[in-house]
Every structure is written in structure tokens, then in C-alpha cells.
Amino acid sequence: MSVVAALRGVQVTYPSPTGPVEALRGVDLELLGGTATAIVGRSGSGKSTLVSVLALMRRPTAGEVELAGRTTTGLDDHELARLRARSVGIVFQSFHLDPALSASDNVMLPWYLDAAGRRRRDARRRADQLLELLGIPELSRRRPTQMSGGQRQRVAIARALFNDPVLFVADEPTGNLDEDTANEVAAVLLGLADRTGTTVVVVTHDRRIADAADRTLHVSRGRITEPVA
Amino acid sequence: MRRLVRLSARSAAQAPLRFVLLAVLIGVALFVYLVVEELSRLSTDTLDEAVAGDLGEEGTYAVLLNDRLGLVTDELGRLVKPALAGVEPRRVEIIEVLPAVIAECPPFEQFGEQQLLFVHDAGGHSTPLPYGAGVPADTALCLAGQALPADAVLVPDRGQQRRWGPGLAVSPDYRAVALQTSHEPITYRISVVSGRPDPDGTVREELQRTLESAFQDHARRQGVELTHVINVVRLDSGEDTRRAQEGVGLVYGVIGWGVIALGGLALLVTQLIVVRDRTWFFGLARALGGQRRHVAALVVLDVVLVLVAGLVVLGAAILLGGPIVGGFVRDAFAVELALLDPGTLARLVPTAVVLLIVAAGYPTWKAVRLDPLEVLERS
């Protein structure tokens, strides 16, 4: 399996009223294609910062990020956004679905923001396929307000998969869900690597998700300190 | 862009009441603007006419010539035209004034004794005039025992009277007949319209100097003292009235643009609230790979959709409210509103652009500066 994403000596430092805060301190990481990785750690340990750098939403203060064989150092905002659109799928703890749009249109949101790309009919077909893949084909026309939390998160996952990303990142995706729904969503997420071949990275506090992942990383004080057994 | 328009339309549909109210607000603001603009135009035209009638066109001067100069029309034309070229007048007329006669056939009810006027341009050539205008239908004209057709005489309007002096303008075809009416000497008067304000009398002084210089050789030959050759008199002394007229126009402008500014302000405030409420969406759009320009386009399109809907409301307001407002204005001021005047409608385009800039500029700037990650973490 080839390396899909890599961090080399990545540091992230934030300014704060009490002085600079080092959120990541020289992180080295390689993620292989088609694997599922769980990232665990306490609040404030740097997990979310780590995935935001992996998802190209934050530039590191120092170090290098490589995604889909491309070094991102030196890319401007426009190029970075384009690479993110084509290569990364992101899911958040809050579902961030547009209440004005149907499930299908929410899944198609990346299409609305991409002047090139597929034709509308193909985009609609792709959205419906993804909703089917996630087990909610009957919700295609429904608005987010007419769905349960688990269903909304599935729609958000489908949206993240719309552009066939090589890297799928989820930041505490089950944090807003009840236990049963969280289990369902976790199963869907971890199964994505096998079903779609994409590389999955999940930030979680949920021990069961960590256990089910191919690989679990523990982040503490801005460093990947130990593999969790 | 079509995809973003579709997305914006769907977002607008999410809050139909807000959208409709804003569209009505903008439509009404534009309607009021159109009415005020039209009233302003009508009042300016009416005032222009009244001021021109009472005071003469702006920058109107009468050049009074010494009778002893003994110049005739052709000679005057040769002297006046080159002399005034430097002043760049809007209009120069040389008026040949024949002594007063009764130009009307019996029973002499309309005009009484009148001077006969022949109007020439700066070069001394006859000026074409709308002869026949102002002549009452029940009046026949006679000169030296000869009946004249009605279209041989022009009864000057107030502005013309001011420039030419009292009298009836007669077609040059009947000059020979008119000359038979009297053996008194012919006099001349020159009317100059600069079309420029002359608050400190500079233009009048320049005319006086230029014409004195042009006539000095001839005056010397005729033995006329140079200081008595000509006298340039200003006919449009009315700076205060003109300033007041400008003030009225300004008030209309302030009202019209004030209404537009209020509409724009309301739209601006609403857009700022929309941007605040949809911050998460803009952050998400950026996270999904959207560029800053996509975010900017979403905010601007939101305003454009409201403006387009506002124009539809305006159309309805013109169709439904236009006759009501027009009727009121007709009854109150005896003038006809033309809300669909092409000039007024053409002004809607820059007005809509101003509204767009006012309402979308700052919210767009705010939206594109959002850090998507920060926004998503916060929400």
C-alpha cells in the first residue's frame, strides 16, 4: 500500500495572551492508502489541530505536509483549496448541513462550489449512490430538519465522499450522537476504508472506534506519543 | 456561476418572509425614488421655464448701440461675429427695429401700436423663426395697406421679448413692405446669450470691452465719442432666484437619494445579519474547497436576488400605484408624471448598482475574510 498522506516534522504554534502555544511539536506521520486510523487523546492534546493540518485546513508553522503525492509547501490559498476539494473529505462533530437543501443537495454541495466537474444529472446520480451506500437512499428528498442525528451524520459523510477523496477525515463525528447511533455511524466510518478504498482518519474519544480501527495513534501535548494497543 | 445562483436561490427560499419583505422594501424605495426624480425633473423644467421667462436665459445681455453709428445689418454682422467669437456665446441675434406702427387691420383690437422686428444671426443673416406662432386666429394683419398672411408674423414669447425688446417679428419676405410704413430711422439692438452665470459681471465687462474695440474705428469715422458707442446691459439679474431653483433641485436630490440610502442601509443590515447567521455555511464552503470568490459570489448573489425581486415589485408598483400617484400629482400640481420615462428608467441602473455596492460591499468583505476553521470550530 502506498503512502497517501504524510507529515514530516510538523509544528503548529498559536499566539495566545499568555505567549505562544505549541499545539503540535514536530509530528511525523505516514498514512497508507485504504487504512482506517483512529486518533485519540485528551482534550487540548492537539488531535484536532493534527487533523486540520492533514485536511489542509491549517498551514503548519514548520514542517512539511504531503498529500496524494504532492507537497503542499508553497501552494497558495487557491491551490490549497483546490487540492482540498479534490483530495480530502471532511466530517465534523456538528453536521453542518444546510437546512434549505435536501439530503441529496447537501451531498452535492461540493458540486455547487465547483465550476468544472460533473454535469448536474451525473452529480445527482452520484449523490443518490452515496446515500444508498450509507444506507439512507429513502432520505434523498428530505431536509435535514426531518432527519435524526445519525441520519444527518450519514448525509455529512456522503457529502465528504462526493469527490472521491483519497483522504477522509472525521473530527469527533459521533460526539453529538446517542450510543446506538454512534455505534452505527462508527461502523459506517470504519467500513469506508474497505468499501471505498479511501484512507480514513477519525479523531475520537470513543474507545470502541479506536479498537476497531486498523491503527490507533495517541496524541499528547502535541506529539504522537505511543501506539495504543 | 449558474450553480451558485441555484444555491443562492435555495438559500433565499429558506427564509421566504425575509426575502419578500426585503424585495418589497427595495421595490418601494425605488418607486419613491422614481416619483421624486420625476417630480424633480418636472419642477426643474417648470422652474427653468418660469425663471427664463421672468429673468431671461442665464447670461443674457442686450447690446444697445449709439444711433449715430449709422450701421446697417450687413456691416453689423461683419463686425459683431468675429468680435464675439472669443466670448463663445450660445446665441447672438441682431435685431433690426422699425418704428412703431399699427400692424393690425381694423378694428385694431389685439396689438395696438407695435415696433416691427427683423431678427438676424451674428453674421447678419435672417434667422428662421416659427412665423405664425402667437397670432390670434381672428386677427388679420395689414402693413402699408397690404394684407399679410398670418404666418408672416411672430408674436414673441416672453423670453424672445426680453431679448428682442417689444414688437412683432416680421418675416424677411415682407421687409420691403414694412419699410414703407415709416420714414423714421431704423435702430438696432444686439442680444447675446452666453449661457453662463455671471455673478461678478466679468462676462458683461468682457462683452463691453470686446465690442467697443470692434466698433472703435467705425465710431471714430462717424465722430462718435468712444465711451458712448455701445452699452452692454445685463438682462438676467436673478442670481438669488437661480440659486433658490438649484436649492429646490438639491432638496429633491436629497430626498430621492435619501430614500435609496435608507433602502440600501436596511439591505446592508439584513445582509450583515445573514452573513453572521450563515458564517458556518461560508466556513463549510471553504472547508469543502470553495474559494473566497465563491463566498463573495454567494453574498453578492443574495443581494442581487433581492434587487431583482425588488425590481419586479417596482414594476407592480408602477402598474398599480403609478395611476394613483399620477392622479394625485395631476390634481395637486397640474402636471403629468411619466414614471416610465426612458431617462428616469435609465437612472435605475446606476441606482441599483449603488444599492448593490452599499448592501453587499461590507458584508462580502466580512464573509471572505472568515477563517473557515475558526468558524467551524466556533459553531
Side-chain angles (χ1 to χ4, degrees):
Chain A
M1 278 185 283
S2 61
V3 174
V4 164
L7 305 184
R8 295 195 182 88
V10 165
Q11 293 177 23
V12 174
T13 307
Y14 301 120
S16 85
T18 53
V21 174
E22 288 185 290
L24 292 180
R25 307 174 188 214
V27 170
D28 292 305
L29 175 65
E30 286 191 343
L31 297 169
L32 300 178
T35 59
T37 302
I39 297 177
V40 297
R42 288 184 180 176
S43 292
S45 60
K47 309 184 296 290
S48 292
T49 305
L50 176 62
V51 291
S52 65
V53 171
L54 267 174
L56 307 183
M57 289 183 63
R58 189 189 303 280
R59 288 176 189 273
T61 315
E64 200 173 82
V65 180
E66 200 179 292
L67 183 67
R70 195 166 174 196
T71 303
T72 61
T73 313
L75 294 185
D76 61 23
D77 282 354
H78 180 81
E79 292 166 324
L80 211 58
R82 178 173 285 183
L83 184 60
R84 185 165 64 234
R86 298 281 150 85
S87 309
V88 184
I90 307 171
V91 168
F92 307 92
Q93 184 175 346
S94 307
F95 320 113
H96 290 315
L97 299 180
D98 192 332
L101 305 178
S102 66
S104 180
D105 278 319
N106 265 292
V107 174
M108 285 167 64
L109 201 52
W111 174 83
Y112 280 111
L113 298 165
D114 184 5
R118 313 175 159 91
R119 285 185 309 172
R120 184 155 182 254
R121 198 186 316 150
D122 298 337
R124 179 75 62 197
R125 194 177 302 132
R126 167 75 176 156
D128 289 342
Q129 280 170 355
L130 286 168
L131 289 173
E132 196 166 341
L133 176 78
L134 290 159
I136 48 170
E138 73 283 4
L139 300 183
S140 173
R141 298 261 174 217
R142 228 180 270 180
R143 300 275 170 100
T145 47
Q146 301 165 311
M147 299 176 201
S148 69
Q151 289 169 332
R152 289 185 206 182
Q153 196 58 298
R154 284 172 192 241
V155 173
I157 292 168
R159 180 179 64 197
L161 293 171
F162 184 83
N163 276 341
D164 245 335
V166 292
L167 178 65
F168 178 96
V169 175
D171 191 355
E172 302 197 30
T174 57
N176 277 350
L177 303 175
D178 61 58
E179 193 176 335
D180 288 345
T181 313
N183 287 339
E184 282 175 27
V185 170
V188 169
L189 281 173
L190 294 169
L192 284 177
D194 288 334
R195 292 161 76 187
T196 65
T198 189
T199 301
V200 177
V201 176
V202 184
V203 172
T204 185
H205 287 293
D206 191 329
R207 184 76 201 185
R208 282 163 304 177
I209 295 180
D211 289 345
D214 297 325
R215 183 184 179 196
T216 303
L217 302 173
H218 187 264
V219 179
S220 177
R221 296 177 183 230
R223 287 199 176 92
I224 297 175
T225 54
E226 57 183 288
V228 176
Chain B
M1 186 52 85
R2 235 185 316 171
R3 297 178 185 185
L4 290 176
V5 172
R6 210 184 294 253
L7 193 57
S8 280
R10 292 189 179 200
S11 296
Q14 188 189 352
L17 187 63
R18 173 187 78 89
F19 184 79
V20 169
L21 285 178
L22 276 176
V24 168
L25 174 78
I26 294 304
V28 170
L30 289 173
F31 180 70
V32 173
Y33 170 75
L34 274 188
V35 170
V36 171
E37 273 284 292
E38 179 60 10
L39 282 176
S40 167
R41 190 183 66 79
L42 283 172
S43 104
T44 305
D45 288 355
T46 313
L47 270 173
D48 271 349
E49 206 176 297
V51 169
D54 288 347
L55 307 172
E57 279 180 83
E58 189 158 39
T60 303
Y61 305 85
V63 182
L64 307 176
L65 299 170
N66 190 312
D67 293 347
R68 287 169 52 209
L69 279 175
L71 286 162
V72 294
T73 310
D74 293 347
E75 292 170 309
L76 276 171
R78 276 197 296 275
L79 288 170
V80 169
K81 194 173 182 181
L84 292 181
V87 186
E88 295 179 0
R90 183 189 288 174
R91 183 193 296 145
V92 176
E93 290 160 318
I94 298 171
I95 302 102
E96 190 180 4
V97 184
L98 270 59
V101 294
I102 293 180
E104 192 180 8
C105 306
F108 314 118
E109 285 177 339
Q110 299 285 345
F111 300 121
E113 204 173 51
Q114 293 281 346
Q115 296 182 118
L116 302 179
L117 312 175
F118 292 92
V119 183
H120 309 272
D121 63 16
H125 309 291
S126 285
T127 304
L129 294 171
Y131 292 105
V135 180
D138 56 351
T139 298
L141 295 156
C142 301
L143 284 180
Q146 185 177 333
L148 268 64
D151 62 2
V153 174
L154 166 73
V155 179
D157 60 27
R158 284 199 302 169
Q160 288 164 333
Q161 277 182 42
R162 182 163 287 277
R163 296 199 307 275
W164 303 342
L168 296 174
V170 181
S171 161
D173 299 341
Y174 293 87
R175 187 169 177 274
V177 178
L179 285 173
Q180 294 172 27
T181 57
S182 170
H183 298 292
E184 297 286 315
I186 296 170
T187 57
Y188 286 90
R189 170 189 174 116
I190 301 169
S191 161
V192 181
V193 179
S194 72
R196 298 191 297 273
D198 186 16
D200 50 3
T202 319
V203 179
R204 195 205 70 80
E205 284 169 17
E206 191 181 351
L207 282 171
Q208 177 82 36
R209 200 171 44 248
T210 309
L211 289 170
E212 270 179 5
S213 158
F215 284 91
Q216 67 180 5
D217 287 346
H218 188 83
R220 202 174 293 124
R221 282 199 295 275
Q222 296 289 321
V224 180
E225 205 174 320
L226 199 60
T227 49
H228 298 133
V229 171
I230 61 157
N231 186 21
V232 178
V233 179
R234 195 159 169 205
L235 296 178
D236 67 333
S237 54
E239 297 296 335
D240 290 346
T241 311
R242 290 187 197 284
R243 262 200 295 276
Q245 181 195 7
E246 283 167 13
V248 170
L250 190 69
V251 168
Y252 274 118
V254 167
I255 293 172
W257 282 102
V259 170
I260 291 294
L262 277 178
L265 201 64
L267 200 51
L268 167 70
V269 171
T270 313
Q271 276 312 109
L272 284 173
I273 294 169
V274 167
V275 167
R276 194 194 63 191
D277 288 352
R278 286 179 66 77
T279 294
W280 68 270
F281 182 79
F282 299 136
L284 177 70
R286 297 287 308 283
L288 293 177
Q291 309 280 348
R292 283 178 199 275
R293 66 187 159 85
H294 290 125
V295 172
L298 285 172
V299 180
V300 172
L301 281 172
D302 214 19
V303 180
V304 168
L305 286 177
V306 171
L307 279 177
V308 169
L311 288 173
V312 172
V313 173
L314 171 68
I318 288 176
L319 286 177
L320 301 174
I324 297 169
V325 176
F328 170 74
V329 171
R330 193 182 308 115
D331 293 344
F333 307 110
V335 289
E336 286 294 329
L337 278 187
L339 293 178
L340 294 173
D341 173 65
T344 310
L345 288 179
R347 276 198 290 279
L348 272 184
V349 176
T351 310
V353 171
V354 168
L355 266 176
L356 181 66
I357 292 168
V358 168
Y362 181 56
T364 305
W365 180 77
K366 264 191 95 167
V368 297
R369 280 168 50 93
L370 293 170
D371 175 358
L373 195 60
E374 194 186 318
V375 165
L376 292 172
E377 278 173 356
R378 255 205 329 253
S379 58

